[in-house]
Amino acid sequence: MTLDDLIASMFPAGHAVKRGLRSTVHGAGRLEDGTEVALIGIVDRTPLTIDAAIEVAGYVLSVIEKGGTTPILVLVDTASQNMARRDELLGLNEYLAHLSKCLTLAALEGHRTIGILYGHAAAGALIATALSTQVLVALPDAEPSVMDLPSISRVTKLPLDKLTELAKSTPVFAPGLEPLFAVGAVTVRWDATKPLAAQLLTVLQAPLAQHDPRDAIGLERKGRLLAAPIAARVAMEANAHG
Amino acid sequence: MTGLLPAHEQDWYEASARERIAGLLDPGSFVEVLGPEQRAMSPHLAQFDLTGAFDDGLVVGRGLLDGKAVLIAAQEGRFLGGAFGEVHGAKLVGLLRAARDGAKEGGPQSVLLLLDTGGVRLQEANVGELAISEIIRAIVEARIAGIAVIALVGGRSGAFGGGGIVTACCSRIVVSEHARISVSGPEVIETNKGVEEFDSKDRALVWRVTGGRTRRLTGGADRYVKGRVQDFRDAAIALVEKAPPLTIATLQAEQRRLAERLRLYGDAKDAPEIWEKAGLSDPTHMADLTDDQFLALPMPKEADHDAR
C-alpha cells in the first residue's frame, strides 16, 4: 500500500500532510466527527539518519507544545538506522534515543501514540520509531526485522537453511510480521481489504494499559513466555529486600 | 591478577560484572535478586549449540552507594558480548519498574546501569529488541517518577546497538577512555558500506569515532573518569545527587542541543575536525594525552548540560 492510499483510506474526511526535508512527513488527518489526529513519520524506506531523527522528534515536540491530547500517528516505512561513520561520530545513539524519549513522553502526557507500520523498519530504526509508540498497528505489507537471516547466519555461524528451518518453530529471532506479532511487539494487524478509517477508530477508542503491556501480550500469544514472569519477579523482589 | 586487588582498586575494563558491583557499592552491601542459584537461564541458546549462563549475563539487585539505597544492574560483557536476550532484558525491565514503583514509597532513588554490551543477542533477535524497547520505556517512566538513572560505560563490549540507545536515555552517563558508544558497530558498517566508509581494523579511527573522549567532548557523556572501579564509584556518588529530571523542557533543550551539534559539526567525518572547530588546542593528538591531561582540558560549552 502506498503512503497516499494509506492516508486516504484512514482519513476519508480529509487530511493535510506535508513532506519534510528528508523523507519525513508531518501534518494532520480529520476523523468523521471532526477531531484532528497528528500525522508524522519517516517514509520511502529511508534509513534513519541523525538529520531525519531530529526532524521527526521536532514534529513530536510541536504537537506536545500545542497542548491538548491530540493522538499522534507515526507512519513508518524506514530501513535500519543509517550506517555511516559520520552519523556515529555525531552521536546517532543520542538522536535515536531523543526521538524515542519524545514519543514515549508524548504518550505519558496524554497523546495516544499509534505506530502505523506499512513498510520496512529494522534494528535501531525500529526501536526509535514503531516500537516507541503505545500501540503498534501493522499493515499486511509490513516488514519489520531486527536483523536479516543471512546476517544472523554470519554471526551465529549457523547455516542459513538450518536457521530457516528453526524459524518455523520459534518466533524469537526470525524477521517478519508474524514473529514480531507473536512476541507482542505488534499490537494489532489491519485488514487492508476493508476501509482503514473504521479500524483506526477502533484503535483510537480501545482502552489503554496503564503501563507497557507488551510482555503480557507476548505471553498471551505464547511467543514470549519468560519476559513477563521474570520482569514481574524481579520487580517484586527488588523492592522487597532491605 | 586483578583478583589480588581490593574491589575498588580494580581496573573497570578488566573486571567482571560482579567485581564491578562489589567495588562500586559500599562493601558487602549488595543483595542480588534472581541470582545464579535460581537458574533463570535463556531457553533459546541450546538450539544454537551455545551454553547458557546461570544469570543470563546480567546481575541485578540492590545495595548501598555511600550509605544510600540504590538499585543496580551489571552486564557481563564476556558472556555473548553482554547482549540483550529475553531473560537478560526482562531482568533489567523488572529492576527499572521496581525503581519506578518504589520512587514515591521510600524506595531507592537511583539506578546504576553498568552497560557492557554489543546490543541485541541475534539468537534471540526479536525478544532482545523488544526488551530494549521495554527498557527505554521503563527508564523514561522511572525518570519521570524522579529516579536518577546513571549509565556507566567502560567495558570491553562497549555500549553498541540498542545498548547505545539505552545509554542516551539515562539521566547521566559516565565513561572512561575505553568506553565505546555507538549504534551500528564498525564491523557492521564496514560489511554493509565498505572499508572506505569505516575501516573497522583501524583501531585509532574506531576509538576517535566511538570512544569516551569524543563522547565527553561533544556532550554525549557527562563525566570522564580514569579506569579504576573507584573512579566510577566517585562519579556515581556525585551524579546521583543532581540528575536532571525528564520533562518536556528537558527534551526541548535536547532538541536544541542536538540541532546545534548538527549545525556546528554536521560536516565532520572524523573527530579531529570537531575538536578543531571546538577550539581545542592540538586536536590531532587527543589520543596521546594521559587521562590527567585530558581531564585538565577546558571542555567545549556543549560538553556540559542538563539536556538529556
Side-chain angles (χ1 to χ4, degrees):
Chain A
M1 184 176 278
T2 67
L3 177 64
D4 289 344
D5 291 345
L6 172 69
I7 295 173
S9 181
M10 286 194 293
F11 299 104
H15 51 83
V17 177
K18 286 185 211 146
R19 285 261 168 179
L21 294 173
R22 298 170 186 89
S23 291
T24 63
V25 293
H26 62 111
R30 203 165 52 248
L31 301 174
E32 294 291 349
D33 68 359
T35 53
E36 265 205 1
V37 175
L39 288 172
I40 63 165
I42 173 142
V43 299
D44 301 336
R45 204 170 166 174
T46 314
L48 189 55
T49 59
I50 51 179
D51 314 85
I54 196 162
E55 204 174 298
V56 177
Y59 300 145
V60 179
L61 287 174
S62 64
V63 174
I64 299 176
E65 284 157 9
K66 279 188 201 143
T69 55
T70 310
I72 301 174
L73 255 57
V74 185
L75 308 172
V76 181
D77 177 23
T78 174
S80 70
Q81 68 279 8
N82 193 40
M83 292 188 188
R85 194 172 83 184
R86 173 247 182 195
D87 284 49
E88 295 295 354
L89 171 67
L90 291 169
L92 176 63
N93 69 309
E94 288 182 89
Y95 288 81
L96 297 185
H98 177 65
L99 174 54
S100 186
K101 284 183 283 186
C102 286
L103 283 167
T104 307
L105 193 67
L108 295 170
E109 290 287 322
H111 300 271
R112 184 179 292 233
T113 56
I114 301 166
I116 308 285
L117 183 61
Y118 71 99
H120 277 255
L126 178 63
I127 290 176
T129 60
L131 291 180
S132 293
T133 57
Q134 287 170 297
V135 175
L136 180 55
V137 172
L139 275 293
D141 298 339
E143 295 181 61
S145 66
V146 179
M147 191 71 84
D148 56 275
L149 282 187
S151 298
I152 295 181
S153 167
R154 207 162 50 232
V155 173
T156 61
K157 314 266 192 278
L158 273 196
L160 192 55
D161 52 349
K162 187 176 176 194
L163 277 180
T164 311
E165 194 56 37
L166 259 182
K168 290 178 188 155
S169 59
T170 171
V172 295
F173 70 89
L177 179 52
E178 281 301 323
L180 278 151
F181 180 82
V183 298
V186 172
T187 320
V188 59
R189 288 176 290 197
W190 278 0
D191 181 348
T193 64
K194 297 186 177 137
L196 300 184
Q199 298 176 73
L200 174 61
L201 206 59
T202 304
V203 167
L204 284 165
Q205 290 171 344
L208 280 178
Q210 195 198 344
H211 293 304
D212 198 340
R214 291 176 291 182
D215 52 359
I217 295 172
L219 182 60
E220 196 182 289
R221 292 179 187 163
K222 300 186 168 53
R224 197 163 57 125
L225 300 174
L226 287 175
I230 296 264
R233 187 164 162 203
V234 171
M236 192 182 69
E237 292 183 18
N239 270 339
H241 287 283
Chain B
M1 292 299 284
T2 55
L4 300 176
L5 289 168
H8 62 276
E9 288 290 343
Q10 291 200 18
D11 185 46
W12 186 275
Y13 187 79
E14 298 291 343
S16 70
R18 288 172 195 282
E19 287 169 334
R20 287 175 190 155
I21 288 177
L24 196 68
L25 298 180
D26 298 350
S29 71
F30 179 59
V31 180
E32 186 165 355
V33 169
L34 204 60
E37 77 288 351
Q38 303 289 325
R39 302 283 196 272
M41 299 171 70
S42 168
H44 309 303
L45 294 175
Q47 61 195 355
F48 293 92
D49 301 321
L50 290 170
T51 308
F54 291 151
D55 55 15
D56 204 35
L58 186 79
V59 184
V60 297
R62 58 187 285 159
L64 299 174
L65 179 71
D66 200 27
K68 295 195 186 71
V70 296
L71 296 174
I72 188 167
Q75 293 181 302
E76 180 48 70
R78 289 178 291 197
F79 175 68
L80 299 176
F84 290 89
E86 180 175 6
V87 172
H88 180 118
K91 286 168 78 174
L92 183 49
V93 169
L95 189 82
L96 290 160
R97 288 177 183 169
R100 174 197 70 200
D101 295 341
K104 300 280 185 283
E105 292 164 19
Q109 297 299 302
S110 44
V111 179
L112 307 179
L113 199 40
L114 287 56
L115 290 147
D116 194 354
T117 184
V120 169
R121 188 184 292 170
L122 288 186
Q123 294 85 354
E124 306 181 28
N126 295 336
V127 289
E129 174 106 340
L130 192 43
I132 285 169
S133 180
E134 289 170 332
I135 288 161
I136 291 171
R137 201 170 298 184
I139 289 175
V140 169
E141 289 184 357
R143 288 186 60 190
I144 287 172
I147 300 290
V149 184
I150 313 294
L152 305 138
V153 186
R156 57 183 71 224
S157 293
F160 283 95
I165 304 176
V166 166
T167 302
C169 289
C170 294
S171 325
R172 294 290 191 200
I173 301 165
V174 183
V175 295
S176 63
E177 182 182 9
H178 290 301
R180 288 165 300 131
I181 304 174
S182 94
V183 187
S184 306
E187 296 83 4
V188 176
I189 296 178
E190 184 182 321
T191 303
N192 283 282
K193 292 293 157 72
V195 68
E196 54 290 336
E197 175 63 30
F198 206 157
D199 181 357
S200 67
K201 302 279 189 309
D202 185 342
R203 290 174 61 102
L205 174 67
V206 170
W207 180 84
R208 288 197 304 274
V209 171
T210 69
R213 289 186 182 179
T214 296
R215 296 290 173 243
R216 176 67 193 108
L217 288 167
T218 51
D222 305 289
R223 190 67 71 99
Y224 180 93
V225 297
K226 296 198 223 176
R228 290 177 317 150
V229 174
Q230 177 73 44
D231 302 315
F232 279 89
R233 172 176 159 87
D234 293 343
I237 290 171
L239 290 174
V240 292
E241 284 306 315
K242 39 181 192 281
L246 181 55
T247 63
I248 294 165
T250 308
L251 292 180
Q252 288 169 322
E254 182 165 62
Q255 180 82 13
R256 290 190 295 272
R257 176 174 75 83
L258 295 178
E260 179 70 358
R261 185 188 295 167
L262 273 184
R263 195 184 66 77
L264 289 173
Y265 310 126
D267 298 332
K269 288 212 61 167
D270 201 347
E273 298 164 50
I274 293 179
W275 299 335
E276 187 166 358
K277 281 188 183 167
L280 295 175
S281 60
D282 203 11
T284 52
H285 291 100
M286 193 62 63
D288 304 330
L289 300 180
T290 64
D291 278 338
D292 284 319
Q293 286 169 327
F294 181 78
L295 284 165
L297 283 181
M299 285 289 126
K301 65 173 171 26
E302 57 269 26
D304 294 298
H305 58 81
D306 283 338
R308 178 163 353 264

